Amino acid sequence: GTIWDARNTSLTIDQWAVKIEEALEQAGRSEAIFNVDPNDNREFDTIFIGGGAAGRFGSAYLRAMGGRQLVIDRWPFLGGSCPHNACVPHHVFSECAAELMLARTFSGRFWFPKMDGVTVNMKEIVDLFRRGRTGPHAVMNYQSKEQLDIEFVLNAPARIIDAHTVEVAGRRFKARTLVLGLGARPQRLAVPGVDLKGVYDYTSFVETLDYEPGNTAVVVGGSKTAVEYGCFFNATGRRTVMLVRSQLLKLIPDADTRTYVIDRMRDQGIEIIEGAEVVRIEGDSRGRVAKLVAKTPNGPLEIKTDFVFLGLGETPNSEAAVEALGVKTDPKTGAVLVDDSLRTSVPNVYAVGDLIGAPMEMFKARKSGTYAARAIMGQAISYRPTDWPDFLHTHYEVTWLGLGEDEARKRYRNVVVIRMPPHNPNGLDIGLPASDRVMLYAMAKPRMSGFQKLVIDGDSRRIVGAHHVGYGARDAFQYLYVLVKQGLTIDQLGDMDELFLNPTHFIQLSRLRAGQKELRDL
Ligand code: FDA
Ligand code: COM
C-alpha cells in the first residue's frame, strides 16, 4: 500500500473532510494516512487496533499520561462506528421521529403543515446523514492530531502478527503491548432471503439505501436499535410492523414506564407482534424483497413489503484476534474475555469497547479504553461495569437508572413512589408533566406529555430508581446516577435548586414530600 504522510501538514477541519470523503469514495483503494512521528525514538507502549471510541480515548489518555501509542483504523477517520453508522445516525433518525410526531399531532394547526396521508422521504434523510457525517469525522482527525498528539495510521486494515507486532500498509510496527478495539457488527438472521435487496441492518441502511422504500416497513427485533429505527420508519408515515421474538423493550426496568412507552408507540400506529419468528423473506423476479413470512402466536403471517430492517443486536469482531493470537472468547457471544484490568487471556494483550461485549455503549467503550491505557502505564486499576444509567429513543427519549418499582419492592419493605402524572381519576389525560419539547402536548394532548417516576426506599429515604419519558432528561441522569450511588436522599434532592420548568420535576416534587417523617407516595 502507498502512504500519504500527514506528519508535516496541518489540515484544517474542512480539508480533513475533503480527504476523508475522497477516501470513503475510493473504498479502501486510496493511500494509507500516516501520522507517525519519525523523530520519536521511544518504543510504542501500545498499539490500539481499531480507532473507534475505545481506541481513540485510550490513545488520548495514554498520550496524556506521557506514553507513546499508535492507533490503527481501516477507515480514514478516528471515532469508529459512532459517527459513521451507529449513535450519530440513530440520533438523527430519532430527532426526525420526535419532530414528525409533533408535526403529525398538530397537523394543520398553528404553523404545522397538513400531514394527513403524507409519507416523508426517508432516503433523503439517509443521504443527508451520509453527506453530513464527514463533518464529525473530520473533527475527530483534527482533534486527535492537532490537539491530542495521537499517532495514527488510517485508511488501512491492520493485521496482527503476534502479541507485539502489527502490520499495516506494508509496514510492521512493534509495541510493548497491544489493545484490541475492533468493535462489533450487526447480527444476521439465519433465514432464507436475508441477502435480498431491501433487507437492511444499521450499517447497510446508511451505506446502501438507494431507493425510496414503499409504504410498509417490517422491523425484526425488539430492543434499542429495532425500536429506534422502527419509530423513525413509523414517523415517516409508513405502516410499521415490529416482529419481536420475545418481549418488546424488556430492558426498561420499570413496568409503568415500559407500559407508557409501548402504549405511545401503539398510539402512533406501530404494529407490535411479540413471540414472532421470521420463517423466510421472499423476493421478486429482480431479487428485491417482496414479502416476509413469519410464525406468530396467532398463526402464520405474511406481510407484503419491499423494506425489512434487522435490529437484532451485535456480534463482537473477535475472529481475527482469535486466529492470530488465540485470545479466549465467550462461547455464546463471541466477546473477547478480559479481567478487571482489561487483560485478555494472552499476556500483554488487552481488549476494550464493544469487542468485550455488553454493555455495548459509548461510556463503556471510552472508559475501557482509558482504563486499559492506565493499566499499560503501570497504574493498578479495576473496571467492570455492572450498573449504569441507560436510555433509548422511541419517538421520545426514555431514560432510567437504578431499580424499577417492582424490583425495589422485592428488596425494600417500605417503597415510596413519586410519579407524574400522579395516580388520579383522569389517568394520563392531565396537563402535567410539562417541560421542554412537551409544552404543546401538555396543553393540547396531555396524554402525550411524558411520564416520570422516582422510586425511594422510605426507611433510608434514599433514591433507588429514577425513570423518565419525555425529552431532555438524559443529561441530568448522567449526574443523578452518581449522586444516587453516593446515597442521595429525598431530602438532599429536595434541597437542590431547580431551573423550573425542568424535564424531570424530581427536585420540586421531592421537596413537596421531604417534610414528612413517614414518607407517602405522591
Ligand atoms: P467501534 O466499532 O467504534 O470501533 C472499532 C473500529 O475498529 C472501527 O473503526 C473499525 O474500522 C476498526 N477495525 C475493525 N477491524 C479492523 C482491522 N482489522 N484493522 C483496522 N481497523 C479495524 N452508544 C451510546 O452510548 N449512545 C448511543 O446513542 C448509541 N447509539 C447506537 C446506535 C446504533 C445503531 C448502534 C449499533 C450502536 C449505538 N451505540 C450507542 C453503541 C456505540 O456505537 C458503541 O458502543 C461504540 O461505537 C463502540 O466503540 P468501539 O470503539 O468499541 O467500536
Ligand atoms: C464520537 C467518537 S462520535 S469518539 O468517541 O469521540 O471517538
Side-chain angles (χ1 to χ4, degrees):
T2 50
I3 284 167
W4 181 74
D5 190 358
R7 198 65 210 166
N8 298 317
T9 27
S10 291
L11 296 190
T12 64
I13 292 170
D14 278 351
Q15 288 167 331
W16 268 121
V18 171
K19 182 100 196 140
I20 291 164
E21 228 154 276
E22 282 169 6
L24 286 173
E25 264 162 32
Q26 293 171 35
R29 290 186 305 276
S30 55
E31 55 210 344
I33 300 169
F34 267 63
N35 178 42
V36 181
D37 186 353
N39 302 317
D40 194 335
N41 302 321
R42 291 177 298 166
E43 174 190 33
F44 286 110
D45 292 295
T46 198
I47 299 174
F48 287 90
I49 309 177
R56 196 175 89 89
F57 271 68
S59 290
Y61 212 94
L62 191 132
R63 197 81 196 180
M65 291 178 79
R68 188 175 188 212
Q69 54 64 240
L70 180 68
V71 56
I72 304 174
D73 205 285
R74 62 185 173 193
W75 281 334
F77 54 87
L78 291 165
S81 53
C82 167
H84 203 54
N85 56 34
C87 326
V88 178
H90 142 216
H91 284 250
V92 171
F93 301 140
S94 294
E95 188 165 309
C96 292
E99 292 282 336
L100 283 164
M101 180 170 77
L102 187 70
R104 288 188 191 283
T105 303
F106 294 102
S107 166
R109 294 175 72 183
F110 318 126
W111 59 89
F112 292 97
K114 279 209 164 44
M115 295 295 287
D116 315 323
V118 172
T119 304
V120 173
N121 189 317
M122 85 189 182
K123 180 174 174 296
E124 197 178 331
I125 304 297
V126 170
D127 291 345
L128 175 81
F129 163 71
R130 219 173 18 226
R131 279 195 306 276
R133 70 181 171 183
T134 39
H137 290 157
V139 176
M140 297 297 137
N141 282 10
Y142 176 85
Q143 184 193 63
S144 300
K145 179 169 179 288
E146 305 300 334
Q147 299 182 304
L148 302 172
D149 299 323
I150 289 174
E151 291 184 67
F152 54 74
V153 176
L154 303 178
N155 204 29
R159 195 161 70 89
I160 305 166
I161 307 296
D162 59 39
H164 299 282
T165 321
V166 180
E167 191 175 275
V168 60
R171 277 187 58 186
R172 285 196 176 191
F173 291 93
K174 283 202 160 289
R176 190 157 68 72
T177 63
L178 295 185
V179 183
L180 310 172
L182 297 163
R185 61 180 181 275
Q187 258 175 45
R188 301 289 293 162
L189 187 66
V191 301
V194 284
D195 294 322
L196 287 166
K197 186 170 165 59
V199 181
Y200 294 96
D201 55 38
Y202 68 86
T203 55
S204 57
F205 181 59
V206 296
E207 296 302 343
T208 66
L209 185 76
D210 61 357
Y211 68 103
E212 188 54 35
N215 285 328
T216 302
V218 179
V219 176
V220 185
S223 203
K224 288 188 180 183
T225 302
V227 167
E228 284 157 353
Y229 286 59
C231 288
F232 168 60
F233 305 148
N234 158 268
T236 64
R238 291 175 168 81
R239 177 187 178 208
T240 300
V241 185
M242 296 202 59
L243 300 176
V244 190
R245 202 170 39 197
S246 57
Q247 243 193 338
L248 184 71
L249 291 178
K250 265 191 300 204
L251 77 167
I252 298 180
D254 183 68
D256 288 339
T257 307
R258 181 170 171 271
T259 301
Y260 182 86
V261 167
I262 293 175
D263 286 351
R264 297 294 78 71
M265 285 172 66
R266 289 194 202 273
D267 287 352
Q268 290 306 305
I270 297 189
E271 297 167 44
I272 299 161
I273 306 174
E274 296 184 322
E277 199 185 311
V278 179
V279 175
R280 64 178 183 280
I281 305 170
E282 294 178 11
D284 62 14
S285 56
R286 291 178 303 159
R288 302 174 63 118
V289 170
K291 192 188 344 175
L292 181 139
V293 181
K295 275 198 290 203
T296 79
N298 296 326
L301 174 73
E302 292 194 2
I303 310 169
K304 285 201 175 117
T305 181
D306 66 352
F307 182 80
V308 175
F309 183 85
L310 306 177
L312 300 163
E314 288 149 73
T315 306
N317 294 324
S318 52
E319 293 82 357
V322 171
E323 213 170 286
L325 299 168
V327 290
K328 287 215 174 83
T329 55
D330 181 317
K332 272 232 288 281
T333 63
V336 172
L337 296 172
V338 291
D339 66 14
D340 290 1
S341 312
L342 287 317
R343 289 187 169 88
T344 68
S345 61
V346 176
N348 302 307
V349 179
Y350 296 70
V352 293
D354 283 0
L355 184 67
I356 62 173
M360 292 195 190
E361 301 288 347
M362 287 296 278
F363 74 86
K364 191 270 255 142
R366 290 165 167 171
K367 281 178 74 173
S368 59
T370 63
Y371 274 93
R374 291 167 61 183
I376 288 163
M377 294 307 285
Q379 287 189 5
I381 55 100
S382 173
Y383 182 60
R384 187 172 293 277
T386 51
D387 185 36
W388 53 88
D390 209 347
F391 85 101
L392 58 87
H393 283 105
T394 56
H395 305 75
Y396 295 90
E397 177 191 288
V398 185
T399 321
W400 64 93
L401 62 82
L403 304 176
E405 184 178 338
D406 295 343
E407 185 60 29
R409 289 195 190 283
K410 286 186 203 148
R411 298 204 204 170
Y412 301 98
R413 59 165 200 103
N414 177 21
V415 169
V416 178
V417 164
I418 294 180
R419 48 171 274 177
M420 185 66 83
H423 279 296
N424 80 101
N426 301 108
L428 301 172
D429 293 312
I430 60 163
L432 275 174
S435 183
D436 314 298
R437 305 289 89 78
V438 297
M439 292 309 292
L440 295 182
Y441 295 130
M443 298 300 118
K445 294 262 180 172
R447 173 173 293 258
M448 294 180 72
S449 71
F451 180 86
Q452 51 215 38
K453 187 195 270 187
L454 202 59
V455 184
I456 303 154
D457 167 24
D459 291 343
S460 68
R461 305 178 75 85
R462 287 186 172 179
I463 312 301
V464 297
H467 309 273
H468 187 269
V469 187
Y471 301 101
R474 196 165 67 240
D475 241 38
F477 271 63
Q478 301 171 141
Y479 307 111
L480 189 59
Y481 175 78
V482 178
L483 297 173
V484 167
K485 284 267 143 189
Q486 291 171 353
L488 180 73
T489 63
I490 182 173
D491 309 288
Q492 293 168 329
L493 185 52
D495 201 37
M496 291 182 189
D497 302 316
E498 70 274 38
L499 300 177
F500 194 71
L501 265 72
N502 46 299
T504 63
H505 295 255
F506 291 155
I507 297 174
Q508 56 269 21
L509 293 176
S510 292
R511 190 182 295 129
L512 288 174
R513 279 301 193 221
Q516 286 183 329
K517 209 162 153 220
E518 296 293 329
L519 292 172
R520 277 194 292 128
D521 289 348
L522 182 66

